[in-house]
Amino acid sequence: MKKGTQLYEGKAKKVFATDDNDLVIQEFKDDATAFNNKKKGTIADKGVVNNAISCKLFTMLEENGVRTHLVEKLSDREMLCRHLEIIKVEVVVRNIAAGSLVKRYGFVEGKLLENPVVEFYLKDDELDDPLMNEAHAVALGVATFEELSVLKIRAEAINALLKHFFAERKLKLVDFKLEFGRHKGEILLGDEISPDTCRFWDLETNEKMDKDRFRFDLGGVENAYSEVQRRVLGQN
Ligand code: TMP
Ligand code: ASP
Protein backbone atom coordinates (compact mmCIF):
# COMPACT_ATOMS: atom_id res chain seq x y z
CA MET A 1 0.00 0.00 0.00
CA LYS A 2 1.59 3.26 -1.16
CA LYS A 3 1.01 6.37 1.02
CA GLY A 4 0.03 9.28 -1.24
CA THR A 5 -0.63 12.97 -0.74
CA GLN A 6 -2.13 14.43 2.42
CA LEU A 7 -5.87 14.97 1.95
CA TYR A 8 -6.66 16.58 5.28
CA GLU A 9 -5.13 17.59 8.59
CA GLY A 10 -7.34 17.71 11.66
CA LYS A 11 -6.54 18.53 15.27
CA ALA A 12 -5.50 14.98 16.20
CA LYS A 13 -5.03 13.19 12.88
CA LYS A 14 -3.86 13.49 9.28
CA VAL A 15 -5.48 11.64 6.41
CA PHE A 16 -3.49 10.49 3.36
CA ALA A 17 -4.56 9.15 -0.03
CA THR A 18 -3.26 5.76 -1.17
CA ASP A 19 -2.82 4.20 -4.61
CA ASP A 20 -6.33 2.74 -4.13
CA ASN A 21 -9.06 5.41 -4.47
CA ASP A 22 -11.24 3.56 -2.00
CA LEU A 23 -8.65 3.53 0.80
CA VAL A 24 -7.06 6.22 2.96
CA ILE A 25 -4.48 6.18 5.74
CA GLN A 26 -5.43 7.83 9.02
CA GLU A 27 -2.30 8.92 10.93
CA PHE A 28 -2.64 9.71 14.64
CA LYS A 29 -0.71 12.72 16.04
CA ASP A 30 0.37 13.56 19.59
CA ASP A 31 -1.23 17.03 19.34
CA ALA A 32 -4.03 17.66 21.79
CA THR A 33 -6.57 20.46 21.71
CA ALA A 34 -9.56 21.25 23.87
CA PHE A 35 -12.43 23.73 23.88
CA ASN A 36 -12.28 23.94 20.07
CA ASN A 37 -8.59 24.72 19.81
CA LYS A 38 -8.50 27.35 22.59
CA LYS A 39 -6.21 25.05 24.61
CA LYS A 40 -3.33 23.37 22.82
CA GLY A 41 -0.62 20.94 23.83
CA THR A 42 0.85 17.54 23.18
CA ILE A 43 0.42 14.27 24.98
CA ALA A 44 3.53 12.09 24.57
CA ASP A 45 2.80 9.00 22.42
CA LYS A 46 -0.94 9.76 22.34
CA GLY A 47 -1.01 8.96 18.61
CA VAL A 48 0.38 5.48 19.19
CA VAL A 49 -1.96 4.80 22.12
CA ASN A 50 -5.10 6.12 20.40
CA ASN A 51 -4.37 4.17 17.21
CA ALA A 52 -3.93 0.95 19.20
CA ILE A 53 -7.12 1.54 21.23
CA SER A 54 -9.18 2.57 18.19
CA CYS A 55 -8.06 -0.42 16.11
CA LYS A 56 -8.93 -2.81 18.93
CA LEU A 57 -12.37 -1.22 19.53
CA PHE A 58 -13.25 -1.04 15.82
CA THR A 59 -12.25 -4.72 15.46
CA MET A 60 -14.44 -5.65 18.43
CA LEU A 61 -17.36 -3.69 16.94
CA GLU A 62 -16.90 -5.34 13.51
CA GLU A 63 -16.91 -8.75 15.22
CA ASN A 64 -20.27 -7.76 16.69
CA GLY A 65 -21.85 -6.72 13.40
CA VAL A 66 -21.08 -2.97 13.35
CA ARG A 67 -19.67 -1.88 9.98
CA THR A 68 -16.69 0.50 10.38
CA HIS A 69 -14.08 2.12 8.16
CA LEU A 70 -11.25 0.01 9.63
CA VAL A 71 -9.40 -2.18 7.12
CA GLU A 72 -6.26 -2.89 9.17
CA LYS A 73 -3.70 -1.41 11.53
CA LEU A 74 -0.70 -0.54 9.36
CA SER A 75 1.83 0.69 11.90
CA ASP A 76 2.10 2.30 15.34
CA ARG A 77 0.39 5.49 14.19
CA GLU A 78 -1.36 4.44 10.98
CA MET A 79 -4.76 2.89 10.36
CA LEU A 80 -5.80 1.82 6.86
CA CYS A 81 -9.42 2.86 6.32
CA ARG A 82 -12.15 2.82 3.74
CA HIS A 83 -12.56 6.27 2.21
CA LEU A 84 -15.79 7.72 3.61
CA GLU A 85 -17.77 10.79 2.73
CA ILE A 86 -17.92 12.10 6.31
CA ILE A 87 -21.38 13.09 7.57
CA LYS A 88 -21.03 16.48 9.28
CA VAL A 89 -22.78 15.32 12.43
CA GLU A 90 -21.01 14.47 15.69
CA VAL A 91 -23.08 11.91 17.57
CA VAL A 92 -22.59 12.02 21.35
CA VAL A 93 -23.92 9.26 23.61
CA ARG A 94 -24.12 9.78 27.39
CA ASN A 95 -24.58 7.20 30.14
CA ILE A 96 -23.57 9.39 33.08
CA ALA A 97 -23.90 13.18 33.37
CA ALA A 98 -20.62 15.04 32.76
CA GLY A 99 -19.08 17.78 30.63
CA SER A 100 -21.40 19.98 28.61
CA LEU A 101 -24.51 18.13 29.86
CA VAL A 102 -23.72 19.36 33.38
CA LYS A 103 -22.94 22.88 32.15
CA ARG A 104 -25.96 23.21 29.87
CA TYR A 105 -28.71 21.60 31.94
CA GLY A 106 -27.46 21.69 35.54
CA PHE A 107 -27.19 17.92 36.08
CA VAL A 108 -25.03 16.85 39.01
CA GLU A 109 -21.82 15.34 37.60
CA GLY A 110 -21.94 11.56 37.99
CA LYS A 111 -25.74 11.20 37.84
CA LEU A 112 -26.61 7.92 36.12
CA LEU A 113 -28.85 8.51 33.10
CA GLU A 114 -31.43 5.72 33.04
CA ASN A 115 -31.84 6.02 29.29
CA PRO A 116 -28.69 6.86 27.35
CA VAL A 117 -28.90 10.42 25.99
CA VAL A 118 -28.04 10.70 22.27
CA GLU A 119 -27.21 14.17 20.95
CA PHE A 120 -26.34 15.55 17.52
CA TYR A 121 -23.80 18.35 17.06
CA LEU A 122 -22.99 20.12 13.79
CA LYS A 123 -19.40 19.29 12.81
CA ASP A 124 -18.25 22.84 12.12
CA ASP A 125 -15.27 24.31 14.03
CA GLU A 126 -16.07 27.87 12.88
CA LEU A 127 -19.44 27.62 14.64
CA ASP A 128 -18.00 25.74 17.67
CA ASP A 129 -19.87 22.50 16.84
CA PRO A 130 -23.33 23.64 18.02
CA LEU A 131 -25.90 21.21 19.46
CA MET A 132 -28.69 20.62 16.94
CA ASN A 133 -31.84 18.57 16.47
CA GLU A 134 -32.87 16.48 13.46
CA ALA A 135 -34.77 19.37 11.83
CA HIS A 136 -31.68 21.60 12.04
CA ALA A 137 -29.50 18.90 10.47
CA VAL A 138 -31.94 18.31 7.62
CA ALA A 139 -32.45 22.05 7.03
CA LEU A 140 -28.67 22.48 6.91
CA GLY A 141 -28.48 19.66 4.36
CA VAL A 142 -25.93 17.63 6.35
CA ALA A 143 -28.09 14.48 6.60
CA THR A 144 -31.56 13.13 5.85
CA PHE A 145 -34.12 12.12 8.49
CA GLU A 146 -33.55 8.48 7.48
CA GLU A 147 -29.78 8.82 7.95
CA LEU A 148 -30.22 10.49 11.35
CA SER A 149 -32.44 7.68 12.51
CA VAL A 150 -29.77 5.16 11.38
CA LEU A 151 -27.11 7.17 13.27
CA LYS A 152 -29.16 7.10 16.47
CA ILE A 153 -29.90 3.37 16.28
CA ARG A 154 -26.27 2.60 15.38
CA ALA A 155 -24.95 4.81 18.21
CA GLU A 156 -27.21 3.05 20.74
CA ALA A 157 -26.04 -0.38 19.57
CA ILE A 158 -22.39 0.72 19.75
CA ASN A 159 -23.00 2.11 23.25
CA ALA A 160 -24.34 -1.24 24.47
CA LEU A 161 -21.28 -3.08 23.08
CA LEU A 162 -18.75 -0.54 24.38
CA LYS A 163 -20.36 -0.28 27.83
CA HIS A 164 -20.11 -4.04 28.28
CA PHE A 165 -16.53 -4.16 26.90
CA PHE A 166 -15.34 -1.41 29.26
CA ALA A 167 -17.19 -2.73 32.31
CA GLU A 168 -15.23 -5.98 31.91
CA ARG A 169 -12.09 -3.84 32.02
CA LYS A 170 -13.16 -1.98 35.16
CA LEU A 171 -13.95 1.27 33.36
CA LYS A 172 -17.21 3.22 33.32
CA LEU A 173 -18.07 4.55 29.87
CA VAL A 174 -19.42 7.98 30.85
CA ASP A 175 -19.93 9.41 27.36
CA PHE A 176 -18.36 9.42 23.90
CA LYS A 177 -18.51 10.95 20.44
CA LEU A 178 -18.88 9.10 17.14
CA GLU A 179 -18.60 10.13 13.51
CA PHE A 180 -20.08 8.27 10.57
CA GLY A 181 -19.64 8.42 6.81
CA ARG A 182 -21.25 7.28 3.59
CA HIS A 183 -19.59 4.49 1.64
CA LYS A 184 -21.09 2.68 -1.38
CA GLY A 185 -24.66 3.30 -0.24
CA GLU A 186 -23.99 2.28 3.35
CA ILE A 187 -23.28 4.20 6.54
CA LEU A 188 -20.04 3.15 8.27
CA LEU A 189 -18.56 4.20 11.60
CA GLY A 190 -15.51 6.40 11.00
CA ASP A 191 -12.95 8.53 12.86
CA GLU A 192 -11.63 7.07 16.15
CA ILE A 193 -12.75 5.87 19.59
CA SER A 194 -10.13 6.72 22.19
CA PRO A 195 -9.57 8.62 25.46
CA ASP A 196 -9.66 11.77 23.27
CA THR A 197 -13.26 11.10 22.27
CA CYS A 198 -14.66 9.29 25.32
CA ARG A 199 -14.89 9.86 29.06
CA PHE A 200 -13.75 6.88 31.13
CA TRP A 201 -13.92 6.70 34.92
CA ASP A 202 -12.30 3.93 36.94
CA LEU A 203 -15.09 1.57 38.07
CA GLU A 204 -13.94 1.55 41.68
CA THR A 205 -12.40 4.97 42.32
CA ASN A 206 -14.20 7.12 39.69
CA GLU A 207 -10.79 8.51 38.74
CA LYS A 208 -10.92 10.29 35.37
CA MET A 209 -8.89 8.37 32.75
CA ASP A 210 -9.40 10.46 29.60
CA LYS A 211 -8.86 13.85 27.94
CA ASP A 212 -10.52 15.66 30.86
CA ARG A 213 -7.10 15.28 32.57
CA PHE A 214 -5.67 17.49 29.80
CA ARG A 215 -8.71 19.80 29.51
CA PHE A 216 -8.67 20.64 33.22
CA ASP A 217 -4.93 20.27 33.99
CA LEU A 218 -5.46 17.32 36.33
CA GLY A 219 -1.97 15.89 35.61
CA GLY A 220 -1.06 12.28 34.81
CA VAL A 221 -2.51 12.44 31.29
CA GLU A 222 0.01 10.04 29.71
CA ASN A 223 -0.38 7.54 32.54
CA ALA A 224 -4.17 7.60 32.24
CA TYR A 225 -4.04 7.02 28.47
CA SER A 226 -1.59 4.13 28.79
CA GLU A 227 -3.63 2.57 31.59
CA VAL A 228 -6.71 2.66 29.32
CA GLN A 229 -4.59 1.07 26.55
CA ARG A 230 -3.39 -1.62 28.96
CA ARG A 231 -6.95 -2.48 30.01
CA VAL A 232 -8.33 -2.38 26.45
CA LEU A 233 -5.58 -4.54 24.96
CA GLY A 234 -5.35 -6.78 27.99
CA GLN A 235 -1.62 -6.16 28.42
CA ASN A 236 0.23 -6.48 31.71
P1 TMP B 1 -19.07 17.26 26.01
O1 TMP B 1 -19.56 16.87 27.36
O2 TMP B 1 -17.96 18.28 26.05
O3 TMP B 1 -20.19 17.66 25.10
O4 TMP B 1 -18.40 15.96 25.36
C1 TMP B 1 -19.13 14.76 25.23
C2 TMP B 1 -18.20 13.66 24.73
O5 TMP B 1 -17.78 13.90 23.40
C3 TMP B 1 -16.91 13.50 25.55
O6 TMP B 1 -16.66 12.11 25.71
C4 TMP B 1 -15.84 14.11 24.70
C5 TMP B 1 -16.36 13.97 23.30
N1 TMP B 1 -16.03 15.12 22.45
C6 TMP B 1 -15.23 14.95 21.34
O7 TMP B 1 -14.77 13.84 21.05
N2 TMP B 1 -14.97 16.03 20.56
C7 TMP B 1 -15.46 17.26 20.82
O8 TMP B 1 -15.19 18.19 20.07
C8 TMP B 1 -16.29 17.42 21.99
C9 TMP B 1 -16.85 18.78 22.34
C10 TMP B 1 -16.56 16.33 22.76
N1 ASP C 1 -11.81 18.20 20.29
C1 ASP C 1 -12.25 19.53 20.59
C2 ASP C 1 -11.12 20.52 20.45
O1 ASP C 1 -10.13 20.26 19.88
C3 ASP C 1 -12.97 19.68 21.89
C4 ASP C 1 -12.62 18.80 23.03
O2 ASP C 1 -12.36 17.62 22.85
O3 ASP C 1 -12.66 19.31 24.18
O4 ASP C 1 -11.14 21.62 20.87
Side-chain angles (χ1 to χ4, degrees):
M1 182 56 52
K2 208 165 152 280
K3 195 168 181 176
T5 53
Q6 186 176 308
L7 300 176
Y8 168 81
E9 177 160 10
K11 288 178 286 213
K13 294 186 292 298
K14 294 177 180 174
V15 179
F16 294 89
T18 68
D19 44 14
D20 182 337
N21 260 341
D22 188 40
L23 300 175
V24 293
I25 293 170
Q26 187 165 270
E27 186 186 299
F28 288 72
K29 309 192 286 183
D30 289 348
D31 299 346
T33 66
F35 313 116
N36 197 17
N37 241 341
K38 287 179 200 67
K39 183 180 172 81
K40 292 184 193 168
T42 56
I43 300 173
D45 279 338
K46 171 169 84 75
V48 176
V49 171
N50 283 359
N51 188 30
I53 293 173
S54 292
C55 286
K56 170 74 185 179
L57 295 175
F58 278 67
T59 303
M60 180 280 287
L61 291 172
E62 286 274 356
E63 285 166 1
N64 286 280
V66 178
R67 297 290 317 279
T68 80
H69 69 160
L70 173 70
V71 177
E72 62 172 329
K73 185 170 188 274
L74 282 182
S75 72
D76 269 6
R77 287 177 185 274
E78 293 170 319
M79 182 195 268
L80 184 64
C81 302
R82 294 180 184 87
H83 194 175
L84 306 187
E85 181 201 340
I86 286 290
I87 298 174
K88 295 202 169 301
V89 177
E90 298 195 354
V91 184
V92 168
V93 184
R94 303 177 185 273
N95 297 306
I96 296 173
S100 69
L101 196 75
V102 168
K103 263 198 163 166
R104 188 174 289 120
Y105 300 106
F107 281 96
V108 173
E109 187 186 60
K111 182 186 162 45
L112 187 71
L113 304 166
E114 296 221 346
N115 299 297
V117 172
V118 179
E119 297 172 332
F120 297 128
Y121 291 84
L122 177 64
K123 187 172 159 61
D124 185 332
D125 283 343
E126 306 245 300
L127 295 173
D128 252 344
D129 295 349
L131 180 67
M132 64 179 175
N133 66 23
E134 282 91 338
H136 292 127
V138 173
L140 285 161
V142 293
T144 65
F145 283 116
E146 292 73 21
E147 285 176 328
L148 293 161
S149 116
V150 171
L151 298 193
K152 181 158 188 277
I153 290 166
R154 213 64 75 79
E156 286 168 342
I158 292 167
N159 182 42
L161 292 166
L162 290 178
K163 238 179 16 182
H164 175 74
F165 180 90
F166 284 108
E168 284 187 326
R169 287 155 180 83
K170 301 273 186 283
L171 288 170
K172 287 184 198 171
L173 179 62
V174 174
D175 55 33
F176 58 97
K177 184 260 304 180
L178 301 172
E179 294 185 26
F180 295 87
R182 305 180 183 96
H183 181 262
K184 298 183 178 169
E186 271 195 274
I187 292 180
L188 307 189
L189 178 66
D191 196 47
E192 66 178 282
I193 305 179
S194 72
D196 269 14
T197 63
C198 304
R199 286 193 174 93
F200 301 117
W201 294 353
D202 181 86
L203 199 64
E204 271 143 31
T205 65
N206 274 336
E207 193 186 343
K208 294 180 164 70
M209 315 261 305
D210 54 66
K211 199 162 100 175
D212 271 353
R213 303 204 73 82
F214 169 79
R215 292 190 186 97
F216 302 108
D217 298 314
L218 303 178
V221 189
E222 282 87 358
N223 282 345
Y225 275 59
S226 38
E227 177 58 18
V228 172
Q229 178 181 18
R230 196 187 64 75
R231 294 193 199 181
V232 166
L233 299 186
Q235 295 158 334
N236 295 312

